[in-house]
Amino acid sequence: MADRARFLENVRHRTRTGRYKPTRAPDSVWTPKGAPVPDPIADPVARFLEELGAVGGHGARVQSLDEARDHVVSLARERGAGALVRWDDEELAGFDAPLAGAGVEVAIWRDLEDFRAVAGLADVGLSTASWAIAETGSLVLESGPGRGRSVTLLPPTYVAVLRAERVLGTVAEAVGKYAGGRLPANVCFHTGPSRSGDIEMSLVTGMHGPGDVHVVVVG
Amino acid sequence: METRKPARERDTTDRRREGIESPVEGFNERGGRAARDEALRGALRLFATKVVPARNATLAALPEAPELRERAYRIKRETMANLDRYLEEMAEAVEARGGSVHFASDGEDVVRYVGELARRRGAKVIAKSKSMATEEIELNRRLEEGYADLGLEIVETDLGEWIAQLAGDTPSHIIGPILHMNAERVAEILSEVAGEELPPDATVLSRFARGRLREKFLTADIGITGANFGVAESGTVVTVTNEGNGRLVTSVPPVHVVVMGIEKMIPRFEDLSVFTRLLARSGTGQKLTVYTNFVTGPRGPGELDGAEEFHLVLLDNGRSNLLGTPFEEALYCIRCGSCLNVCPVYRQTGGHAYGSTYSGPIGAVITPLLKGDEEAKDLPHASSLCGACSETCPVGIPLHDLLLKLRNRQVEEGMAGKTQTAAFKVFENTMKSPALYNISGKLGRAAQRPLVREGTVRPVPGPLRGWTGSRELPPLAPKPFRELWRGGI
Ligand code: SF4
């Protein structure tokens, strides 16, 4: 504690006694003139799907949760998935039987003996999302009981299902949801497939996280 | 090839020495060597020609960008003026969420804290996500040496950082750590680890790395990250990565340690709407980094993953010396790497020439400030003062003004005589070569237009004359350079 007090006192002393006060703000003539002004977001869901596609993700819009379920089942089939791990979320509960019917073993994120083994071996991770951001094609994922971070990270294919009214316009709106700093242990703005350009700038997807990212918007 | 040892028999000890406390070899020698390296220059060119236009395009499509930049600058200025208060607020918020906080005045302090933590946890494997602060204090090497009895395996998990670590190399760019290596070189390095021949193909090499590093994520006892931002009001630590390694390192291992420079503070969560919008656009030309990850304390009740122990280490290491001085603005940096990409000197020499963790214009400013003028006396001269860095900086740091101030400080300290301006030679040669200089002309930014016309360099006004004409230390400009060119010169 003494260390902390000394550390902070040193910082305080320097900020209080330092004579130099930067006063000049940067000039505001910054971006190129005549830049195209982006259209206001008229249809957030359409814009979200478009932006998600632009970053290499796959989006689909369906009318009902049943349709979303069918979408997920056929995707799991296409990928030849043997195991899927999903969030413990009521909306997704109805997905289990049809998935099992398609030969996919479903693990639910609760009371897992060893989450690393379960999520690490699953072919597909399935979750909902708190919000989506139209402007960037991002999902906003909150951690919590039943909402494992690893589900969205470890399996090579990741699918999120969310309702259309959860799609926000901008990053600023999404950040605004946590204004004042009330956050769960983890929040992530997840934007498309994991990627790397470290080797000669060639784009590789699925670097550490999923390379195959799908979002199904309901409504 | 035939003498390759299996990976587990190889000596993986991290001996890299480029942290802030290690000696800097002259920029002259390194820079000169680098500027003659055609392959390196080609790689640097490729990087800049991909990233700079992407950066320009995404920022151009953000009408509020100039306003955001001004807000970013003001937020950082306000933060630094009250840094003690914000640090305290952050520490209390982290503790309220069940995390631990340690204030470290230097690298040694961090090494001791992490080393003792590793001992207590009986840790064997530490997975790291890219962090400039831990590079700066050479955390890997010092942990391996100072805590040799623990037999720690410390693994960088960012693809480029991992490859650099395997090669015994240091990162040469904030965003592109191994942009100085071609695919053949990477294949050579990874083939050695694989014990078989891997082709120089980015996809194959990345797949191999994914497999190897996945094991590390799953078995790591401790995850260490840096922080892009620390939010005072909530105690939230923000890391951004495209690969997802930052999110993995904070989600899977049972312990998460954050090593964060004290200048990374921002007051409120809402301020992130300013910084996240600027950072990815400036760094890579993306609208948002793939994983913008916010961690607030250890895992909550009922959560299965996320770290059960959360440690925040706040690092000073010379930063507080800058508070309240004319160099304070250097602390506003959000490490986007944009000033490197547009710098004509960096584009000739690459990052290693700077001999320090931080390269490019921000490195030329921050290294002497953290290390001391004597230790890095060449660096303030590793610049043409063209102003491109100040112009591109998303938080409006007047980088070339700071470089001038540093040169001036050298004069005041009586170091002028000792300062060899041969560092300029590297750049001077390119200035004389219209073809080469044209590369920077292509940046197409207003900052350089007054200097470059159809690929030739006009007689250089103001402070530049001082060094293009002779090898003497340039006189200080009566007015900041930026004002000169803004006024039409
Ligand atoms: S000084 Fe500015 S441009 Fe350079 S890395 Fe820092 S924030 Fe980016």
Side-chain angles (χ1 to χ4, degrees):
Chain A
M1 230 31 207
D3 279 355
R4 173 178 306 193
R6 214 175 320 123
F7 188 104
L8 290 173
E9 186 44 45
N10 170 47
V11 170
R12 185 171 305 121
H13 175 75
R14 291 184 193 271
T15 55
R16 297 296 179 272
T17 58
R19 275 169 307 128
Y20 184 81
K21 294 275 172 277
T23 48
R24 180 191 43 193
D27 59 88
S28 50
V29 192
W30 197 36
T31 43
K33 291 211 174 53
V37 176
D39 305 329
I41 301 170
D43 180 350
V45 176
R47 175 71 183 277
F48 170 75
L49 296 174
E50 189 185 312
E51 295 289 341
L52 177 63
V55 293
H58 306 275
R61 186 170 194 174
V62 299
Q63 289 315 308
S64 66
L65 206 53
D66 286 352
E67 260 184 73
R69 181 199 59 205
D70 295 346
H71 189 91
V72 173
V73 173
S74 66
L75 185 70
R77 258 211 199 96
E78 264 171 49
R79 295 290 180 275
L84 176 148
V85 59
R86 70 161 174 86
W87 279 9
D88 187 10
D89 189 304
E90 247 174 66
E91 300 233 301
L92 303 175
F95 288 39
D96 295 354
L99 280 167
V104 183
E105 195 186 319
V106 179
I108 303 166
W109 191 264
R110 75 177 163 228
D111 314 322
L112 296 175
E113 277 272 312
D114 180 357
F115 79 83
R116 289 178 184 82
V118 173
L121 293 175
D123 304 299
V124 181
L126 173 66
S127 80
T128 57
S130 299
W131 310 100
I133 309 171
E135 180 183 44
T136 53
S138 312
L139 292 165
V140 179
L141 304 169
E142 291 182 10
S143 75
R147 294 196 299 273
R149 311 168 204 194
S150 306
V151 171
T152 71
L153 266 175
L154 295 176
T157 296
Y158 167 54
V159 193
V161 177
L162 90 159
R163 299 206 172 260
E165 61 267 24
R166 296 261 139 192
V167 182
L168 305 170
T170 62
V171 170
E173 282 173 62
V175 168
K177 294 289 173 193
Y178 306 98
R182 289 174 308 279
L183 291 98
N186 177 248
V187 175
C188 184
F189 291 180
H190 176 185
T191 312
S194 148
R195 55 185 257 184
S196 175
D198 277 354
I199 302 174
E200 284 191 350
M201 300 272 323
S202 15
L203 178 68
V204 173
T205 52
M207 186 54 232
H208 289 307
D212 186 29
V213 173
H214 300 258
V215 181
V216 187
V217 183
V218 183
Chain B
M1 301 278 156
E2 43 300 326
T3 56
R4 240 175 232 159
K5 286 189 202 157
R8 80 199 106 76
E9 284 173 32
R10 284 176 338 115
D11 176 11
T12 56
T13 311
D14 204 324
R15 292 207 181 72
R16 300 173 296 163
R17 280 178 179 271
E18 283 213 341
I20 283 296
E21 287 156 47
S22 283
V24 174
E25 192 192 340
F27 181 83
N28 301 348
E29 296 84 53
R30 285 170 181 257
R33 228 181 298 133
R36 287 188 298 275
D37 182 341
E38 270 306 319
L40 174 66
R41 287 231 310 274
L44 289 164
R45 198 150 49 224
L46 175 72
F47 189 82
T49 50
K50 281 199 178 183
V51 170
V52 174
R55 174 257 175 209
N56 290 346
T58 41
L59 276 169
L62 187 71
E64 65 271 33
E67 189 206 318
L68 290 176
R69 185 195 199 205
E70 179 140 2
R71 276 172 63 194
Y73 180 94
R74 288 182 191 280
I75 291 167
K76 279 292 186 184
R77 188 177 69 192
E78 203 266 326
T79 310
M80 296 310 153
N82 299 287
L83 190 59
D84 56 315
R85 196 154 57 73
Y86 290 124
L87 286 168
E88 202 163 10
E89 195 183 346
M90 170 114 193
E92 280 164 11
V94 167
E95 284 163 350
R97 293 291 289 252
S100 310
V101 181
H102 181 71
F103 286 83
S105 39
D106 58 16
E108 198 46 52
D109 208 340
V110 180
V111 174
R112 218 177 308 121
Y113 187 82
V114 178
E116 290 309 324
L117 174 66
R119 188 186 301 285
R120 175 168 66 72
R121 295 284 312 190
K124 288 279 166 255
V125 179
I126 296 182
K128 276 184 72 204
S129 162
K130 198 165 99 185
S131 142
M132 302 294 285
T134 60
E135 293 279 346
E136 169 190 322
I137 59 172
E138 296 174 1
L139 180 67
N140 300 3
R141 181 182 64 76
R142 289 162 80 171
L143 271 179
E144 282 167 358
E145 286 176 9
Y147 289 81
D149 58 313
L150 299 183
L152 292 171
E153 183 188 359
I154 305 169
V155 190
E156 295 290 343
T157 60
D158 174 86
L159 176 63
E161 294 274 338
W162 184 55
I163 293 165
Q165 185 188 30
L166 290 170
D169 230 349
T170 50
S172 67
H173 188 284
I174 300 173
I175 306 293
I178 53 161
L179 69 83
H180 60 286
M181 288 184 197
N182 58 22
E184 281 73 23
R185 175 79 184 114
V186 175
E188 214 178 284
I189 295 161
L190 293 187
S191 295
E192 197 179 312
V193 177
E196 61 170 307
E197 204 70 40
L198 298 174
D201 174 286
T203 306
V204 176
L205 295 169
S206 307
R207 287 284 165 279
F208 170 75
R210 177 183 164 107
R212 276 303 163 98
L213 291 170
R214 180 54 73 90
E215 287 167 30
K216 302 301 173 198
F217 289 122
L218 293 177
T219 55
D221 305 292
I222 297 178
I224 299 182
T225 69
N228 290 90
F229 306 99
V231 184
E233 68 176 358
S234 59
T236 303
V237 168
V238 188
T239 52
V240 306
T241 64
N242 276 321
E243 297 181 0
N245 57 319
R247 181 156 161 79
L248 276 158
V249 160
T250 64
S251 298
V252 182
V255 179
H256 175 196
V257 181
V258 182
V259 181
M260 173 180 134
I262 53 173
E263 82 284 15
K264 298 286 171 187
M265 293 297 314
I266 55 171
R268 297 155 295 261
F269 193 81
E270 269 187 291
D271 298 329
L272 286 168
S273 101
V274 174
F275 290 104
T276 53
R277 277 189 281 171
L278 290 171
L279 178 56
R281 284 178 171 88
S282 295
T284 55
Q286 292 166 279
K287 285 186 188 151
L288 210 55
T289 316
V290 178
Y291 294 95
T292 304
N293 198 42
F294 311 94
V295 175
T296 312
R299 75 169 72 132
E303 288 193 62
L304 298 178
D305 61 359
E308 62 195 36
E309 270 189 46
F310 176 87
H311 299 262
L312 173 65
V313 181
L314 292 159
L315 174 69
D316 184 342
N317 211 27
R319 288 164 171 77
S320 62
N321 294 337
L322 275 56
L323 294 168
T325 76
F327 299 103
E328 182 180 291
E329 286 154 317
L331 296 175
Y332 302 180
C333 173
I334 58 172
R335 311 265 185 264
C336 72
S338 188
C339 57
L340 283 61
N341 301 336
V342 300
C343 176
V345 174
Y346 178 89
R347 288 165 66 140
Q348 292 301 313
T349 64
H352 289 155
Y354 294 78
S356 165
T357 309
Y358 305 104
S359 61
I362 184 62
V365 170
I366 203 85
T367 305
L369 290 171
L370 296 183
K371 260 180 184 322
D373 286 343
E374 273 293 342
E375 291 302 310
K377 55 180 180 286
D378 287 347
L379 291 185
H381 305 278
S383 163
S384 69
L385 302 181
C386 70
C389 48
S390 310
E391 193 63 20
T392 198
C393 179
V395 287
I397 302 172
L399 287 156
H400 71 286
D401 286 352
L402 294 178
L403 286 167
L404 273 173
K405 282 181 191 166
L406 277 169
R407 292 185 190 182
N408 194 35
R409 190 166 87 169
Q410 289 187 345
V411 177
E412 282 165 10
E413 287 170 358
M415 282 172 55
K418 281 184 258 167
T419 308
Q420 276 295 324
T421 50
F424 303 141
K425 287 304 254 187
V426 177
F427 183 67
E428 203 179 346
N429 289 335
T430 67
M431 293 284 281
K432 282 177 187 153
S433 156
L436 284 176
Y437 199 69
N438 201 21
I439 303 161
S440 28
K442 274 195 197 126
L443 297 180
R445 283 162 326 78
Q448 286 178 326
R449 261 177 227 135
L451 299 179
V452 185
R453 290 269 187 275
E454 271 98 50
T456 57
V457 182
R458 287 200 293 156
V460 184
L464 284 172
R465 182 172 288 138
W467 63 267
T468 47
S470 76
R471 295 175 120 223
E472 270 148 44
L473 194 74
L476 265 186
K479 280 203 279 178
F481 185 60
R482 185 160 56 163
E483 278 174 44
L484 283 177
W485 69 255
R486 201 157 298 264
I489 302 188

